[in-house]
Amino acid sequence: MELLNVHRIVDVTAAEGPGLRCAVWTQGCTVRCPGCFNPQTWTTRGGTLMPWREAADRVLRARAEHGVEGVTLLGGEPFDQPEPLGALATAVRAEGLSVMTFTGHLLEDLRQRPDCAELLASTDLLVDGPYLADQPEPSRPWVGSVNQRFHFLSGRYDRSILDAPNRLELTIAPDGSVDLNGFATTEALEALLAPVRERNNR
Ligand code: SF4
């Protein structure tokens, strides 16, 4: 399978895993956790179909231009498209980049699926488990609920990365369009938006 269905790619972010990373959001999710923050990625329609090699080249360009240390694959559900993503992950890892992958499935279940073998073998850091809206995560970075697990599948990372703070990134493009990514608690979002609300109420 050559083609990858992509929701969006951010060339450099400090909010989607350890260090600076290129982030690839896939289009399409069959897990469908109630309360998901990205329901617009559930459908397989509306994404951009591209050869995995093109996406891999963009990640490698992000290293050359922005010094990213790896790619983060998130969704959508990356394991709905394990073959093109496995090829992408293998290609960028061969160039020395790290791979972090999020999934709403459990690692034990993915290990039973032969089509997932390459993506698992090329993932350094896997975050697994569905998002449970009634069990919010109070402290660990990048995850939404307490059930979600970090699996260090290679020696590239260890638990020390969990000391990183959560970040929320707001990007305003030259055309005025606004992009938001990263993760923040409702309280942090409220604190961020309070001055804007106050100004609008004047
Ligand atoms: S797996 Fe991720 S994208 Fe899919 S529904 Fe759950 S939180 Fe949303």
Side-chain angles (χ1 to χ4, degrees), residues 180-198:
L180 196 63
N181 70 281
F183 192 85
T185 61
T186 308
E187 293 74 24
L189 269 177
E190 284 297 323
L192 196 68
L193 293 174
V196 179
R197 291 210 181 93
E198 199 177 314

Side-chain angles (χ1 to χ4, degrees), residues 25-26 28-42 74-78 80 102-105 129-132 148:
W25 280 264
T26 58
C29 177
T30 50
V31 181
R32 306 200 169 184
C33 316
C36 165
F37 290 97
N38 289 322
Q40 69 278 19
T41 64
W42 288 6
L74 61 176
E77 171 52 57
D80 280 3
F102 284 83
T103 178
H105 296 289
Y131 171 63
L132 301 179
Q148 293 171 315

Side-chain angles (χ1 to χ4, degrees), residues 1-12:
M1 178 79 77
E2 277 288 309
L3 289 179
L4 184 59
N5 194 356
V6 171
H7 177 66
R8 72 171 169 143
I9 298 177
V10 169
D11 289 319
V12 58

Side-chain angles (χ1 to χ4, degrees), residues 24-181:
V24 178
W25 280 264
T26 58
Q27 185 70 43
C29 177
T30 50
V31 181
R32 306 200 169 184
C33 316
C36 165
F37 290 97
N38 289 322
Q40 69 278 19
T41 64
W42 288 6
T43 174
T44 53
R45 284 179 298 214
T48 302
L49 286 176
M50 64 170 68
W52 66 261
R53 186 72 248 182
E54 190 179 319
D57 287 344
R58 183 152 169 191
V59 175
L60 294 174
R61 254 197 330 274
R63 175 172 66 179
E65 293 174 7
H66 305 288
V68 302
E69 69 178 57
V71 63
T72 297
L73 307 173
L74 61 176
E77 171 52 57
F79 284 92
D80 280 3
Q81 308 180 60
E83 284 151 337
L85 284 173
L88 182 161
T90 301
V92 301
R93 212 150 163 263
E95 299 293 328
L97 290 173
S98 65
V99 177
M100 178 180 190
T101 308
F102 284 83
T103 178
H105 296 289
L106 297 178
L107 174 59
E108 296 84 341
D109 296 332
L110 296 175
R111 283 197 162 131
Q112 304 301 315
R113 286 174 45 188
D115 62 335
C116 296
E118 183 177 11
L119 181 52
L120 285 177
S122 296
T123 292
D124 297 291
L125 177 58
L126 183 83
V127 179
D128 78 345
Y131 171 63
L132 301 179
D134 61 348
Q135 296 180 36
E137 169 61 51
S139 56
R140 294 177 305 162
W142 313 308
V143 295
S145 54
V146 294
N147 61 301
Q148 293 171 315
R149 302 177 298 179
F150 287 82
H151 299 277
F152 300 95
L153 300 182
S154 73
R156 182 95 182 217
Y157 296 113
D158 59 34
R159 300 195 70 78
S160 64
I161 61 163
L162 301 183
D163 295 334
N166 267 322
R167 292 171 196 264
L168 192 66
E169 278 182 359
L170 182 76
T171 309
I172 303 173
D175 68 357
S177 59
V178 175
D179 226 1
L180 196 63
N181 70 281

